[in-house]
Amino acid sequence: MNALETNARLILYLDIKSPYAYLAKDPAKQLESEFGIEVEWRPLTLNIPSFLGSARVDEKKQVVEQNRTPQQWQSVHYAYYDVKRYARLRDILIYGPRKIWDTSLAHIGWLYAKARGREFMMRYLDHVYEQFWKREIDVENIEEIETALSLSGCKIGEFRDFADNEGKSQLGALQQDTSAAGIFGVPTFVIDKEIFFGREHLPMIRWILAGKEGTAPDISY
């Protein structure tokens, strides 16, 4: 799967463990409704420790394990302050995760649901995102991912084989393609083979989809 090629007008890369991606999900769905398009939804599994270090906290929010510099902690604290500020405006509940999760299995579930139909994929994404940020799903546990798939309407009899074989290969190939294309973070939008990183580009994406009528919007930092 080429990272920039698709029959869809707009590609969107998300990672379930990214709160910024979570905040971009529903606006992207609104673009679909507004412009009568189907976004090509693709997972991208981030390696967060490579740029923000790692940490684990207990139920009392006490750090029990960490590998971060003071500057990295400052970036993390601000990021969640910023995310929660915008989440409150949309009545979205976000609890900071207690560790850096590996979302590969959840993303394989995403690909499994996607192969069975767009409606299954969207129900799966809505469910897993909400449950993850409420700390109500273990995205590294295959039984919990199977439950999420089942609740989304998917038959799960073939999922474990898919997760061990085809799904793992698909996700790995997708990771390689996105890296080769220079896609490094989420949310990333690709429209007309042009890459836009960050939900601050949503006004520009909407302007392009609308036929570039009027003055182009400035970036919404």
Side-chain angles (χ1 to χ4, degrees), residues 1 11 36 106 108-109 111 130 137 145 147 176 184 195 209 216 219:
M1 181 185 295
I11 312 172
I108 291 172
L111 295 174
E130 180 180 4
I137 187 173
I145 295 301
T147 297
Q176 291 181 350
F184 58 89
I195 298 170
L209 289 171
I219 192 169

Side-chain angles (χ1 to χ4, degrees), residues 53-113:
S54 61
R56 184 167 59 88
V57 300
D58 60 20
E59 294 183 359
K60 297 180 180 179
K61 299 183 180 180
Q62 299 299 310
V63 177
V64 295
E65 180 183 313
Q66 68 95 19
N67 180 25
R68 279 183 177 144
T69 66
Q71 291 78 16
Q72 287 172 325
W73 274 115
Q74 187 176 33
S75 296
V76 169
H77 288 153
Y78 176 77
Y80 278 102
Y81 173 82
D82 189 42
V83 163
K84 290 181 179 182
R85 172 167 49 195
Y86 284 97
R88 283 193 295 269
L89 296 175
R90 291 164 48 192
D91 198 27
I92 293 175
L93 188 61
I94 289 181
Y95 293 139
R98 295 195 178 102
K99 69 171 188 175
I100 304 297
W101 293 85
D102 179 0
T103 42
S104 298
L105 181 61
H107 291 164
I108 291 172
W110 174 345
L111 295 174
Y112 184 85

Side-chain angles (χ1 to χ4, degrees), residues 22 126-137:
Y22 187 14
D126 287 343
H127 174 77
V128 174
Y129 258 116
E130 180 180 4
Q131 295 299 301
F132 179 78
W133 289 101
K134 290 167 66 176
R135 297 181 182 165
E136 294 181 357
I137 187 173

